[in-house]
């Protein structure tokens, strides 16, 4: 074939488009979740093609009882080392053994907290929480003199000004698919600004309810009705106006039992909307904290209030990270008595118990990679965890915990271990609570592995019973009364329990 000369007609040159610092990590260029630093950024916010990666793809799952029930709730406020760490990477990272949360069946609301003005929850947290039916809130925080100027700029003026801020906060939550806001104003407010604050809260709450299904606004106990910054550690006449304007209040942490007693006279039908704050780091003079957090919960539940557990990541930040899973299980097992569980109410469901991280990757029980990884969006449905010891007799015990060494899919599996005394025929471990209509046919499937020469048989069971006989935890007379009234409303449903039974063959 004869050669032909090529003629260059035009040279086209493209200049590289700089990556957005808010959407891409400066070192790796990986897409990331981020925040809005100030009021100007919020008001100027418009979604771009890069923002699409930050939209949660997992819808908020239904669960029983729903969030709007009167049962005392549990809110977890996640505050860790400034926030936006390995969890900011939308597509995951190669971090080894980073912090994760997986006791979702025990909580109702998850708040992602940082000291950035508008903290937007990283998409991986929203996906993981929604998979378990847990609502996710971002944080709006203003602090000190700078915060006072910000509040003055949008709260002290015309109604249209604070409406514009609220409208944009609703748009942001609606676009990214999280469920609302914690409002944390920790600075003085002028007379004009504090007068408009309840109006701002009420408008924000109403607009969220219209545009975000199940939208929530929770106020943090800080500013008083006269604009002074003075934490009350309770709901009272000085901060009631803010509580009445939104979905709930998150109290400061330095309360005593006397504060709980006093609050009892201030609330009646909205007792569950009072979230009593518990600082797990046990800073200052507080009840409980650390591995004594159960003492805080015991008092809070005694008076029928909801709890706001602040910074449970203490078990990761302050203790040996090599023992994180053990310490995480210890912390939440100590609280189990005071945490009403939730029931799954949709079928089908499937899980391999992956917690969204691993030092290997497994597929159908085989290793596919030996590198560490972290991605909470890949977390699968988590069970109820048990840790029971027989009080009398030979001292048998059984517990369930996450096993990072082996898996069917992902990076971890569920380990059921224990000791069955010779005089005990079998041991049953509850994995899930379900409330669904009985289907005409039900398929159960389980993959398991016995370690060593375990002389036991394993069975997966589903038991059914009418709701009025179902006992959920041992919380308080208030909860027991609620369960009875709830049963009357749903008598045609069935309560299901999915459990594993270990039977000794010896």
């Amino acid at each position: 074939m004869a050669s032909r000369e090529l003629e260059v007609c035009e040279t086209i040159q493209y200049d590289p488009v700089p990556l957005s610092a808010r959407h891409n990590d400066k070192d790796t260029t990986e897409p990331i979740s981020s925040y809005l630093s100030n009021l100007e950024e919020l008001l100027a916010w418009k979604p771009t093609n890069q923002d699409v990666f930050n939209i949660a793809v997992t819808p908020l799952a239904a669960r029983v009882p729903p969030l709007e029930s009167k049962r005392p709730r549990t809110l977890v406020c996640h505050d860790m080392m400034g926030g936006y760490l390995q969890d900011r990477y939308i597509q995951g990272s190669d971090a080894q053994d980073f912090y994760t949360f997986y006791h979702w069946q025990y909580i109702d609301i998850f708040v992602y907290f940082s000291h950035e003005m508008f903290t937007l929850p990283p998409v991986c947290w929203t996906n993981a929480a929604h998979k378990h039916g847990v609502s996710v809130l971002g944080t709006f925080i203003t602090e000190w003199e700078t915060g006072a100027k910000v509040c003055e700029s949008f709260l002290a003026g015309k109604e249209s000004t604070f409406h514009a801020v609220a409208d944009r906060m609703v748009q942001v939550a609606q676009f990214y698919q999280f469920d609302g806001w914690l409002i944390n104003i920790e600075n003085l407010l002028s007379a004009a600004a504090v007068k408009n604050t309840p109006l701002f809260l009420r408008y924000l709450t109403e607009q969220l309810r219209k545009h975000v299904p199940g939208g929530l606004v929770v106020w943090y106990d800080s500013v008083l009705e006269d604009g002074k910054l003075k934490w009350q550690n309770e709901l009272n006449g000085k901060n009631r106006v803010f509580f009445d304007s939104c979905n709930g209040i998150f109290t400061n942490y330095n309360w005593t039992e006397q504060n709980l007693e006093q609050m009892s006279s201030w609330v009646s039908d909205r007792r569950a909307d009072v979230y009593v704050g518990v600082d797990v780091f046990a800073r200052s003079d507080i009840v409980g904290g650390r591995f004594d957090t159960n003492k805080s919960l015991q008092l809070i539940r005694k008076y029928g209030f909801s709890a706001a557990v602040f910074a449970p990541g203490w078990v990761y930040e302050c203790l040996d990270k090599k023992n994180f899973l053990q310490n995480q299980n210890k912390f939440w097992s100590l609280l189990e008595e005071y945490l009403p569980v939730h029931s799954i109410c949709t079928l089908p469901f499937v899980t391999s118990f992956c917690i969204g991280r691993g030092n290997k990757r497994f597929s159908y029980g085989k290793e596919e990679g030996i590198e560490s990884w972290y991605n909470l969006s890949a977390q699968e449905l988590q069970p109820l965890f048990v840790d029971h010891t027989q009080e009398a007799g030979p001292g048998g015990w059984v517990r369930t915990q996450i096993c990072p060494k082996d898996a069917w899919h992902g990076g971890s599996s569920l380990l059921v271990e224990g000791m069955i005394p010779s005089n005990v025929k079998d041991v049953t471990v509850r994995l899930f609570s379900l409330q669904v209509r009985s289907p005409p046919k039900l398929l159960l499937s389980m993959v398991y592995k016995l370690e060593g020469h375990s002389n036991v048989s394993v069975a997966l069971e589903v038991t059914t019973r009418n709701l009025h006989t179902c006992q959920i935890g041992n919380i308080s007379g208030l909860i027991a009364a609620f369960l009875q009234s709830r049963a009357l409303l749903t008598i045609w449903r069935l309560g299901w329990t999915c459990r594993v039974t270990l039977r000794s063959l010896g």
Side-chain angles (χ1 to χ4, degrees):
M1 180 181 295
S3 61
R4 293 187 302 171
E5 292 186 4
L6 298 178
E7 181 180 354
V8 177
C9 298
E10 182 181 0
T11 301
I12 300 176
Q13 182 176 350
Y14 290 97
D15 293 325
V17 178
L19 294 173
S20 164
R22 194 172 74 80
H23 297 97
N24 299 90
D25 183 73
K26 64 179 181 179
D27 297 321
T28 67
T29 72
E30 292 283 337
I32 59 173
S33 297
S34 190
Y35 49 84
L36 299 171
S37 300
N38 51 54
L39 199 59
E40 290 72 25
E41 284 191 12
L42 174 77
L43 294 173
W45 175 86
K46 290 182 180 178
T48 67
N49 291 337
Q50 296 183 74
D51 283 295
V52 173
F53 293 104
N54 266 303
I55 299 175
V57 296
T58 306
L60 182 63
R63 62 183 349 198
V64 176
L67 185 64
E68 59 269 19
S69 76
K70 299 300 181 182
R71 188 172 79 167
R73 309 178 194 115
T74 304
L75 178 153
V76 162
C77 190
H78 176 65
D79 176 25
M80 179 171 287
M81 298 180 282
Y84 299 100
L85 304 172
Q86 295 298 324
D87 54 1
R88 74 185 186 273
Y89 293 104
I90 296 171
Q91 297 172 317
S93 77
D94 59 0
Q96 184 173 16
D97 298 336
F98 191 68
Y99 176 80
T100 184
F101 178 81
Y102 47 89
H103 288 79
W104 297 106
Q105 303 294 1
Y106 301 96
I107 76 168
D108 301 89
I109 300 170
F110 179 87
V111 178
Y112 195 84
F113 182 90
S114 81
H115 286 275
E116 304 298 340
M117 187 170 290
F118 295 94
T119 298
L120 313 182
V123 64
C124 64
W125 281 109
T126 307
N127 284 330
H130 278 185
K131 187 171 293 183
H132 296 85
V134 174
S135 298
V136 179
L137 306 186
T139 304
F140 170 42
I141 185 171
T142 59
E143 301 175 277
W144 315 122
E145 292 183 6
T146 302
K149 292 178 181 178
V150 170
C151 290
E152 188 71 13
S153 71
F154 82 96
L155 284 173
K158 297 179 180 179
E159 179 184 82
S160 59
T161 305
F162 64 77
H163 276 197
V165 172
D167 287 338
R168 193 51 55 93
M169 291 173 70
V170 170
Q171 291 166 14
V172 168
Q174 183 182 29
F175 180 81
Y176 293 119
Q177 293 291 294
F178 61 93
D179 306 296
W181 294 93
L182 170 68
I183 308 299
N184 187 7
I185 295 179
E186 299 202 57
N187 48 256
L188 296 172
L189 293 177
S190 67
V194 77
K195 180 181 178 181
N196 282 335
T197 300
L199 302 178
F200 165 69
L201 290 174
R202 187 171 291 112
Y203 180 76
L204 175 62
T205 303
E206 291 172 351
Q207 293 305 306
L208 266 173
R209 193 173 298 144
K210 287 181 181 179
H211 300 286
V212 178
L216 294 170
V217 177
V218 176
W219 172 263
Y220 182 70
D221 159 32
S222 50
V223 176
L224 307 183
E225 62 179 356
D226 61 3
K228 292 180 180 178
L229 177 63
K230 191 173 183 180
W231 298 267
Q232 297 297 286
N233 305 298
E234 65 177 18
L235 172 67
N236 58 34
K238 297 179 180 179
N239 56 23
R240 177 71 187 250
V241 64
F242 308 113
F243 174 70
D244 289 340
S245 303
C246 64
N247 299 113
I249 187 170
F250 179 154
T251 77
N252 196 46
Y253 313 104
N254 303 111
W255 49 268
T256 64
E257 186 169 6
Q258 183 180 359
N259 294 115
L260 302 181
E261 290 176 349
Q262 292 172 175
M263 278 197 295
S264 296
S265 64
W266 280 96
V267 290
S268 53
D269 60 328
R270 291 194 65 194
R271 190 175 295 245
D273 295 334
V274 178
Y275 299 85
V276 181
V278 179
D279 182 4
V280 178
F281 275 75
R283 288 164 283 208
S284 189
D285 184 18
I286 72 164
V287 175
R290 301 178 183 175
F291 284 126
D292 287 327
T293 299
N294 56 318
K295 296 178 181 178
S296 311
L297 269 290
Q298 182 182 28
L299 279 177
I300 293 169
R301 299 309 197 206
K302 176 182 175 181
Y303 292 91
F305 292 114
S306 294
V309 182
F310 182 77
W314 167 81
V315 297
Y316 180 86
E317 287 193 58
C318 298
L319 305 180
D320 190 341
K321 291 179 175 54
K322 293 180 180 179
N323 299 324
F324 164 64
L325 293 177
Q326 294 91 327
N327 289 324
Q328 175 92 321
N329 292 340
K330 177 182 177 180
F331 178 84
W332 288 98
S333 67
L334 289 169
L335 303 185
E336 180 186 357
E337 180 181 356
Y338 309 105
L339 301 176
V341 300
H342 297 82
S343 298
I344 298 168
C345 58
T346 55
L347 290 177
F349 80 90
V350 61
T351 181
S352 64
F353 305 104
C354 176
I355 60 172
R357 71 172 210 182
N359 294 322
K360 300 177 182 178
R361 289 182 184 270
F362 292 85
S363 179
Y364 297 99
K366 296 181 180 180
E367 290 185 17
E368 285 197 330
I370 57 172
E371 72 283 355
S372 59
W373 63 278
Y374 177 85
N375 187 348
L376 292 180
S377 289
Q379 187 179 97
E380 297 193 28
L381 202 65
Q382 296 300 304
L384 303 170
F385 291 90
V386 299
D387 188 351
H388 298 311
T389 301
Q390 187 180 22
E391 296 181 358
W397 58 274
V398 63
R399 63 171 169 256
T400 56
Q401 59 183 328
I402 295 300
C403 175
K405 296 180 181 180
D406 203 355
W408 181 246
H409 282 303
S412 56
S413 57
L414 185 69
L415 174 65
V416 182
E417 60 179 352
M419 192 276 285
I420 304 177
S422 58
N423 64 334
V424 176
K425 183 180 179 181
D426 54 44
V427 174
T428 299
V429 176
R430 184 168 67 150
L431 298 180
F432 296 98
S433 173
L434 302 93
Q435 286 193 31
V436 294
R437 293 187 181 276
S438 179
K441 294 182 180 180
L442 185 64
L443 172 66
L444 298 178
S445 177
M446 174 178 65
V447 177
Y448 68 91
K449 179 187 290 187
L450 295 175
E451 290 207 351
H453 301 285
S454 301
N455 195 25
V456 297
S457 66
V458 182
L460 180 64
E461 301 177 2
V462 173
T463 60
T464 64
R465 48 189 169 178
N466 291 332
L467 269 181
H468 66 271
T469 66
C470 183
Q471 302 296 317
I472 303 179
N474 180 22
I475 308 303
S476 69
L478 176 68
I479 293 173
F482 165 70
L483 288 174
Q484 291 174 6
S485 64
R486 179 73 182 170
L488 296 176
L489 298 175
T490 56
I491 196 166
W492 297 111
R493 285 187 173 183
L494 288 177
W496 295 58
T497 297
C498 182
R499 61 188 187 177
V500 167
T501 297
L502 307 179
R503 182 168 287 109
S504 175
L505 300 178

